[in-house]
Short mmCIF file of all heavy atoms in Angstrom, two decimals:
data_model
loop_
_atom_site.label_atom_id
_atom_site.label_comp_id
_atom_site.label_asym_id
_atom_site.label_seq_id
_atom_site.Cartn_x
_atom_site.Cartn_y
_atom_site.Cartn_z
N LEU A 111 87.93 113.03 91.22
CA LEU A 111 88.11 111.94 90.28
C LEU A 111 87.47 110.68 90.84
O LEU A 111 87.38 110.49 92.06
CB LEU A 111 89.60 111.74 90.03
CG LEU A 111 90.33 112.92 89.37
CD1 LEU A 111 91.81 112.64 89.29
CD2 LEU A 111 89.77 113.20 87.98
N PRO A 112 87.05 109.78 89.98
CA PRO A 112 86.39 108.57 90.46
C PRO A 112 87.36 107.59 91.10
O PRO A 112 88.58 107.73 91.01
CB PRO A 112 85.76 107.98 89.18
CG PRO A 112 86.62 108.50 88.08
CD PRO A 112 87.08 109.86 88.51
N PHE A 113 86.78 106.57 91.78
CA PHE A 113 87.51 105.45 92.38
C PHE A 113 88.48 105.90 93.47
O PHE A 113 89.48 105.24 93.74
CB PHE A 113 88.27 104.65 91.33
CG PHE A 113 87.42 104.23 90.16
CD1 PHE A 113 87.63 104.79 88.91
CD2 PHE A 113 86.42 103.30 90.31
CE1 PHE A 113 86.84 104.42 87.83
CE2 PHE A 113 85.63 102.92 89.24
CZ PHE A 113 85.83 103.48 88.00
N GLY A 114 88.23 107.06 94.08
CA GLY A 114 89.09 107.52 95.17
C GLY A 114 90.44 108.04 94.75
O GLY A 114 91.36 108.12 95.59
N ILE A 115 90.60 108.40 93.49
CA ILE A 115 91.90 108.91 93.03
C ILE A 115 92.20 110.26 93.67
O ILE A 115 93.34 110.55 94.05
CB ILE A 115 91.90 109.02 91.49
CG1 ILE A 115 91.69 107.63 90.87
CG2 ILE A 115 93.20 109.63 90.99
CD1 ILE A 115 91.59 107.64 89.36
N SER A 116 91.16 111.10 93.81
CA SER A 116 91.37 112.41 94.44
C SER A 116 91.84 112.27 95.88
O SER A 116 92.69 113.05 96.34
CB SER A 116 90.09 113.23 94.38
OG SER A 116 89.68 113.44 93.03
N ASP A 117 91.32 111.27 96.61
CA ASP A 117 91.74 111.07 98.00
C ASP A 117 93.21 110.68 98.08
O ASP A 117 93.94 111.14 98.97
CB ASP A 117 90.87 110.01 98.66
CG ASP A 117 89.40 110.44 98.73
OD1 ASP A 117 89.15 111.65 98.73
OD2 ASP A 117 88.52 109.55 98.77
N HIS A 118 93.66 109.84 97.16
CA HIS A 118 95.07 109.45 97.16
C HIS A 118 95.96 110.63 96.79
O HIS A 118 97.08 110.77 97.35
CB HIS A 118 95.29 108.29 96.19
CG HIS A 118 94.83 106.96 96.73
ND1 HIS A 118 93.52 106.59 96.76
CD2 HIS A 118 95.54 105.92 97.26
CE1 HIS A 118 93.41 105.37 97.28
NE2 HIS A 118 94.62 104.94 97.59
N ILE A 119 95.53 111.47 95.87
CA ILE A 119 96.32 112.65 95.51
C ILE A 119 96.41 113.60 96.69
O ILE A 119 97.47 114.16 96.99
CB ILE A 119 95.71 113.33 94.27
CG1 ILE A 119 95.82 112.41 93.05
CG2 ILE A 119 96.41 114.65 93.99
CD1 ILE A 119 95.17 112.96 91.80
N ASP A 120 95.29 113.78 97.38
CA ASP A 120 95.30 114.64 98.57
C ASP A 120 96.20 114.07 99.66
O ASP A 120 96.89 114.83 100.37
CB ASP A 120 93.88 114.81 99.10
CG ASP A 120 92.98 115.56 98.14
OD1 ASP A 120 93.52 116.29 97.27
OD2 ASP A 120 91.74 115.41 98.23
N ALA A 121 96.21 112.75 99.79
CA ALA A 121 97.08 112.14 100.80
C ALA A 121 98.56 112.35 100.44
O ALA A 121 99.39 112.60 101.32
CB ALA A 121 96.77 110.65 100.92
N ALA A 122 98.88 112.26 99.15
CA ALA A 122 100.26 112.50 98.73
C ALA A 122 100.67 113.95 98.96
O ALA A 122 101.79 114.22 99.44
CB ALA A 122 100.42 112.13 97.26
N MET A 123 99.79 114.89 98.66
CA MET A 123 100.10 116.29 98.92
C MET A 123 100.22 116.59 100.41
O MET A 123 101.05 117.41 100.83
CB MET A 123 99.02 117.17 98.28
CG MET A 123 98.90 117.03 96.77
SD MET A 123 100.44 117.36 95.91
CE MET A 123 100.69 119.07 96.29
N GLN A 124 99.41 115.92 101.21
CA GLN A 124 99.49 116.10 102.66
C GLN A 124 100.82 115.56 103.20
O GLN A 124 101.45 116.18 104.07
CB GLN A 124 98.32 115.40 103.34
CG GLN A 124 98.22 115.64 104.83
CD GLN A 124 97.90 117.09 105.16
OE1 GLN A 124 97.25 117.76 104.38
NE2 GLN A 124 98.36 117.55 106.31
N LEU A 125 101.26 114.41 102.67
CA LEU A 125 102.56 113.87 103.07
C LEU A 125 103.70 114.79 102.66
O LEU A 125 104.67 114.97 103.40
CB LEU A 125 102.75 112.48 102.47
CG LEU A 125 104.08 111.78 102.75
CD1 LEU A 125 104.24 111.53 104.25
CD2 LEU A 125 104.19 110.47 101.98
N LEU A 126 103.57 115.39 101.47
CA LEU A 126 104.60 116.32 101.01
C LEU A 126 104.70 117.54 101.91
O LEU A 126 105.80 118.03 102.19
CB LEU A 126 104.30 116.74 99.57
CG LEU A 126 105.25 117.78 98.95
CD1 LEU A 126 106.67 117.25 98.90
CD2 LEU A 126 104.77 118.16 97.55
N SER A 127 103.56 118.05 102.36
CA SER A 127 103.58 119.23 103.23
C SER A 127 104.00 118.89 104.66
O SER A 127 104.67 119.70 105.31
CB SER A 127 102.20 119.89 103.23
OG SER A 127 101.21 118.98 103.73
N ASP A 128 103.65 117.69 105.16
CA ASP A 128 103.99 117.32 106.52
C ASP A 128 105.43 116.85 106.66
O ASP A 128 106.15 117.27 107.57
CB ASP A 128 103.03 116.23 107.02
CG ASP A 128 101.60 116.74 107.13
OD1 ASP A 128 101.41 117.97 107.13
OD2 ASP A 128 100.68 115.89 107.17
N ASP A 129 105.87 115.98 105.77
CA ASP A 129 107.21 115.39 105.86
C ASP A 129 107.80 115.27 104.46
O ASP A 129 107.63 114.25 103.79
CB ASP A 129 107.13 114.01 106.54
CG ASP A 129 108.50 113.51 106.95
OD1 ASP A 129 109.51 114.14 106.57
OD2 ASP A 129 108.57 112.48 107.64
N PRO A 130 108.47 116.32 103.96
CA PRO A 130 109.02 116.26 102.60
C PRO A 130 110.06 115.16 102.42
O PRO A 130 110.15 114.56 101.34
CB PRO A 130 109.64 117.65 102.41
CG PRO A 130 108.96 118.53 103.40
CD PRO A 130 108.66 117.65 104.57
N MET A 131 110.84 114.86 103.46
CA MET A 131 111.85 113.81 103.33
C MET A 131 111.21 112.44 103.14
O MET A 131 111.67 111.63 102.32
CB MET A 131 112.75 113.81 104.56
CG MET A 131 113.64 115.04 104.68
SD MET A 131 114.74 115.22 103.27
CE MET A 131 115.70 113.72 103.41
N ALA A 132 110.15 112.16 103.87
CA ALA A 132 109.45 110.88 103.70
C ALA A 132 108.83 110.79 102.30
O ALA A 132 108.85 109.72 101.67
CB ALA A 132 108.38 110.72 104.77
N PHE A 133 108.29 111.89 101.83
CA PHE A 133 107.71 111.90 100.48
C PHE A 133 108.80 111.66 99.42
O PHE A 133 108.58 110.90 98.47
CB PHE A 133 107.01 113.23 100.22
CG PHE A 133 106.39 113.34 98.86
CD1 PHE A 133 105.14 112.78 98.60
CD2 PHE A 133 107.05 114.00 97.84
CE1 PHE A 133 104.57 112.87 97.34
CE2 PHE A 133 106.48 114.10 96.57
CZ PHE A 133 105.25 113.53 96.33
N ALA A 134 109.96 112.28 99.61
CA ALA A 134 111.05 112.09 98.64
C ALA A 134 111.55 110.64 98.66
O ALA A 134 111.80 110.05 97.60
CB ALA A 134 112.20 113.06 98.97
N LYS A 135 111.68 110.04 99.84
CA LYS A 135 112.11 108.64 99.92
C LYS A 135 111.09 107.72 99.27
O LYS A 135 111.44 106.75 98.59
CB LYS A 135 112.33 108.25 101.37
CG LYS A 135 113.54 108.90 102.02
CD LYS A 135 113.71 108.46 103.46
CE LYS A 135 114.91 109.12 104.11
NZ LYS A 135 115.06 108.71 105.54
N CYS A 136 109.82 108.02 99.47
CA CYS A 136 108.76 107.21 98.87
C CYS A 136 108.83 107.26 97.35
O CYS A 136 108.79 106.23 96.66
CB CYS A 136 107.41 107.68 99.37
SG CYS A 136 106.00 106.80 98.66
N MET A 137 108.95 108.48 96.80
CA MET A 137 109.00 108.62 95.35
C MET A 137 110.28 108.03 94.77
O MET A 137 110.26 107.42 93.69
CB MET A 137 108.90 110.10 94.97
CG MET A 137 107.55 110.73 95.28
SD MET A 137 106.20 110.01 94.31
CE MET A 137 105.35 109.06 95.59
N LEU A 138 111.40 108.19 95.48
CA LEU A 138 112.66 107.62 94.99
C LEU A 138 112.60 106.10 94.98
O LEU A 138 113.18 105.45 94.10
CB LEU A 138 113.82 108.10 95.85
CG LEU A 138 114.27 109.55 95.63
CD1 LEU A 138 115.37 109.93 96.62
CD2 LEU A 138 114.76 109.75 94.20
N GLY A 139 111.92 105.52 95.95
CA GLY A 139 111.78 104.06 95.96
C GLY A 139 111.01 103.55 94.76
O GLY A 139 111.40 102.57 94.12
#
């Protein structure tokens, strides 16, 4: 996707796989 959207999505998926608790806290915030 343009404007680096794909990189941000990949970073979110990487955070979900590395630290699910941190990803959940981020989304809940």
Side-chain angles (χ1 to χ4, degrees):
L111 297 175
F113 309 111
I115 299 177
S116 300
D117 297 335
H118 283 78
I119 295 176
D120 294 339
M123 299 304 295
Q124 186 67 29
L125 178 63
L126 177 61
S127 60
D128 295 343
D129 194 351
M131 292 301 298
F133 180 82
K135 290 180 180 179
C136 178
M137 292 296 107
L138 285 176

